[in-house]
Amino acid sequence: MIQKITMQGNTEITVSCHTRANLIGEHVTEDAYQIFQVVSGSGFVLLEKHLSFLAAGDLIFLKPGCRAVWSLSGRSILHYCKVKPLYFEQSPYIIKLFKQDSIFNFRVIISNLPRGQAATIGVLFQLIRDEVEGPHDDKKDAILIHLQMLLLLAHRVGHTSLEN
């Protein structure tokens, strides 16, 4: 069982890897893009009026203003990334991508990821965290690239849309 907890944040981006689900709640806000990956455990999420069950590997994408309620088993572990729109201020292409991406514009759960894809997406969360914590002057560029890769991989594995 992974118990390492790392939280690094500023006013624009927060990243957490291998964090117990019950520790994330205080960092969840409705004014940011949020991406969650269930690393282990299970539970459910209620996105507006749609209920989905969650299992290890599942991804949840929330856009600013989206309401979500979830319950996960006490030992569930998550990767979590919260990015405020202000973070993209100097990157109009990226904010446009996030605003228009169907993953954020619909209530979406990406489930049943192949094990290798889930692991790769987990590595991207860790790379984002490492950049946030790192000393490099170009870390914002690297973070934006990793976020784009995360979206690309999510699209490649498909998704289960809750919009009907």
Side-chain angles (χ1 to χ4, degrees):
M1 174 78 51
I2 299 171
Q3 295 186 14
K4 177 182 174 188
I5 298 172
T6 302
M7 178 62 74
Q8 179 66 38
N10 60 34
T11 59
E12 299 173 358
I13 187 166
T14 301
V15 181
S16 177
C17 293
H18 302 296
T19 301
R20 291 200 181 277
N22 63 340
L23 298 178
I24 293 290
E26 66 189 76
H27 300 287
V28 175
T29 62
E30 295 180 6
D31 65 344
Y33 292 94
Q34 298 170 81
I35 307 167
F36 301 84
Q37 182 183 31
V38 179
V39 177
S40 66
S42 61
F44 70 87
V45 63
L46 180 65
L47 297 174
E48 305 202 4
K49 296 179 184 179
H50 302 277
L51 180 68
S52 278
F53 293 94
L54 300 171
D58 288 356
L59 290 168
I60 306 165
F61 292 84
L62 303 174
K63 68 178 183 176
C66 185
R67 294 189 176 271
V69 176
W70 68 77
S71 177
L72 295 165
S73 61
R75 295 188 181 263
S76 292
I77 303 292
L78 298 174
H79 293 319
Y80 170 67
C81 183
K82 176 182 81 175
V83 185
K84 292 192 176 186
L86 181 63
Y87 192 74
F88 302 116
E89 195 171 71
Q90 301 299 316
S91 305
Y93 167 75
I94 304 297
I95 189 61
K96 183 178 179 182
L97 177 68
F98 271 64
K99 282 182 178 180
Q100 294 179 351
D101 196 297
S102 63
I103 284 180
F104 286 107
N105 287 321
F106 295 100
R107 292 176 290 274
V108 171
I109 305 294
I110 298 176
S111 57
N112 301 318
L113 275 76
R115 182 171 263 184
Q117 289 284 32
T120 301
I121 288 171
V123 168
L124 286 169
F125 275 98
Q126 293 173 17
L127 289 170
I128 293 167
R129 183 208 52 209
D130 291 348
E131 287 296 337
V132 169
E133 295 174 348
H136 304 291
D137 293 335
D138 62 350
K139 68 169 124 184
K140 186 170 185 171
D141 293 331
I143 290 167
L144 293 174
I145 290 168
H146 295 317
L147 287 169
Q148 289 178 78
M149 286 299 300
L150 202 154
L151 287 176
L152 175 66
L153 288 174
H155 278 285
R156 286 185 174 178
V157 297
H159 63 270
T160 302
S161 175
L162 301 177
E163 287 285 312
N164 291 325

